[in-house]
Amino acid sequence: MKRIGMLTGGGDCPGLNAVIRAIVRTAKKEGWTCIGFKHGWKGAIENIHEELTLASISGILPRGGTILGTSRTNPYKKAEDVEKVRETIKKNRLDALIAIGGEDTLGAAHKLFKDGLPVIGVPKTIDNDLNATDYTFGYDTALNIATECLDRLHTTADSHDRVMVVEIMGRHAGWIALEAGLAGGADAILIPEVPMTADEICEYIQSRHKRGKNFSIVAVAEGFSIKGEDLVTSKKELDAFGHVQLGGVGDRLAKLIEKKTGFETRCTVLGHIQRGGSPTAFDRVLGTRFGVKAVELVKLGKFGHMAALRGREIIEVPLADAVGALKTVPMHLYETAKMFFG
Ligand code: F6P
């Protein structure tokens, strides 16, 4: 009879509830007790939790967000917090703690494992920038939302002869912008992996307009840097994990494009719309498979590991492999997208 705890950390993400449901349903089959910590590592530090029963997870599969709440709390920000997490695990007589999160949450999970705690990871993020897994759940939903937005913006761009700049999330990786841009027929796709000058971007737009097109769509990742300029951020302060808050590059670019080309240019920031609402079938299935795998890892005592997708298989990988470096867009994929610029 095991007792397991779980938490969701970092930005909310479609598919989190599918993971929680899968863990609880699988663990219950073993006769185990499940505890959910509220608001990420904050709940584990302050021992704020609720027991998760079959009744409490009923009906959550199609729901976006997380029933546990989340936060960007870093247990390594204050030295005493690591000891508090240790104490929480002891007090609740937990055999394992499953951390569901992205680079930051799993980075903390990895450190806690190295500090002797029985931690297992599940990879989450709309940004798809975690190494050692082909996909994270949440990405497919965000990608589909961003693609639909690009489709919708085409009609206004066309009707008003405008250039529409669309700012897309993804932090320092261009996955959502690249694939949504490709799927949504953007005329230029700007990602953090490939900085460009404003003149280079305007050339794509001008060449398109020269061949008779009256509008253009530019997909720009929030982490894109205009060559020769500083990274645009929306806030000066760093978060608990030392990250800047990105945002604003779309607006900056729209102004430059209008000035340089003379075409009316508008910016739309997709923002948290990309993380909202119901997960796609792909994310529900991936989240469910990750949840089942996480329970298997607990059963096998494979702490310090996380569930991952490799091809069509769910495998286990050391947390160390996932958090060492960011998984950015490969250049062969960018080159394919580039064939459709301008
Ligand atoms: O990591 C997911 C993400 O949505 C990023 O794409 C984005 O930069 C960030 O989170 C936004 O965070 P917040 O919700 O704290 O503004």
Side-chain angles (χ1 to χ4, degrees):
M1 289 305 157
K2 289 193 190 297
R3 292 173 60 83
I4 57 174
M6 69 199 82
L7 59 86
T8 55
D12 74 317
C13 178
L16 281 166
N17 288 326
V19 181
I20 296 167
R21 171 181 174 270
I23 295 173
V24 175
R25 290 280 292 266
T26 313
K28 288 289 165 196
K29 282 208 162 72
E30 303 285 340
W32 299 355
T33 299
C34 294
I35 279 173
F37 291 99
K38 307 292 280 184
H39 304 291
W41 290 115
K42 182 177 159 55
I45 293 165
E46 297 176 18
N47 194 13
I48 311 165
H49 68 267
E50 64 183 55
E51 187 172 337
L52 294 172
T53 62
L54 289 176
S56 52
I57 50 115
S58 169
I60 66 172
L61 181 59
R63 268 170 62 187
T66 160
I67 58 162
L68 293 177
T70 185
S71 73
R72 294 198 187 279
T73 308
N74 180 355
Y76 282 86
K77 191 91 182 145
K78 290 191 224 140
E80 66 266 28
D81 284 351
V82 175
E83 285 319 303
K84 286 186 183 168
V85 175
R86 197 187 299 278
E87 202 44 43
T88 297
I89 290 179
K90 217 164 142 193
K91 255 190 209 151
N92 291 291
R93 292 175 285 112
L94 297 183
D95 296 289
L97 176 60
I98 301 175
I100 311 162
E103 184 206 355
D104 297 333
T105 306
L106 296 185
H110 178 232
K111 283 189 189 166
L112 288 166
F113 165 70
K114 286 199 295 183
D115 283 334
L117 298 183
V119 185
I120 299 277
V122 173
K124 162 240 71 156
T125 168
I126 64 161
D127 303 337
N128 198 36
D129 60 356
L130 260 177
N131 252 314
T133 182
D134 290 354
Y135 287 99
T136 47
F137 69 86
Y139 171 67
D140 185 67
T141 307
L143 173 59
N144 277 286
I145 294 170
T147 303
E148 191 196 337
C149 291
L150 288 177
D151 288 347
R152 287 178 183 274
L153 287 165
H154 267 81
T155 53
T156 301
D158 192 6
S159 306
H160 290 261
D161 299 346
R162 282 178 186 161
V163 177
M164 300 293 258
V165 175
V166 188
E167 186 180 298
I168 296 174
M169 278 185 170
R171 241 187 214 169
H172 303 291
W175 287 101
I176 313 176
L178 193 283
E179 293 207 310
L182 195 48
D187 305 300
I189 304 171
L190 311 173
I191 58 174
E193 292 84 345
V194 188
M196 244 187 242
T197 63
D199 285 338
E200 284 172 303
I201 299 161
C202 289
E203 267 170 37
Y204 288 122
I205 297 166
Q206 269 154 339
S207 79
R208 183 176 146 81
H209 285 232
K210 265 192 205 125
R211 64 181 167 87
K213 290 292 186 186
N214 62 321
F215 72 92
S216 289
I217 305 279
V218 177
V220 59
E222 61 178 358
F224 171 75
S225 320
I226 304 168
K227 237 190 212 169
E229 294 194 8
D230 290 339
L231 183 70
V232 183
T233 57
S234 58
K235 227 182 177 183
K236 288 266 169 295
E237 306 81 60
L238 304 180
D239 71 11
F241 288 91
H243 296 297
V244 288
Q245 194 178 86
L246 295 169
V249 68
D251 208 37
R252 168 83 190 127
L253 205 58
K255 288 195 175 79
L256 283 174
I257 292 172
E258 186 163 286
K259 196 167 155 215
K260 284 179 184 284
T261 64
F263 302 135
E264 185 186 4
T265 306
R266 298 290 184 91
C267 170
T268 303
V269 180
L270 301 190
H272 295 94
I273 301 267
Q274 293 159 101
R275 294 209 315 241
S278 193
T280 57
F282 181 90
D283 282 337
R284 295 181 202 189
V285 172
L286 185 59
T288 299
R289 295 180 75 198
F290 279 167
V292 171
K293 184 71 180 181
V295 174
E296 185 192 313
L297 293 179
V298 173
K299 209 170 168 183
L300 297 172
K302 293 219 160 172
F303 303 119
H305 282 72
M306 92 176 182
L309 179 70
R310 183 82 43 84
R312 295 186 70 82
E313 301 294 314
I314 301 292
I315 59 164
E316 75 226 26
V317 294
L319 275 169
D321 293 359
V323 297
L326 278 191
K327 183 182 72 189
T328 50
V329 172
M331 279 309 106
H332 65 83
L333 184 56
Y334 177 76
E335 289 303 329
T336 301
K338 203 175 163 193
M339 287 167 58
F340 300 90
F341 290 9

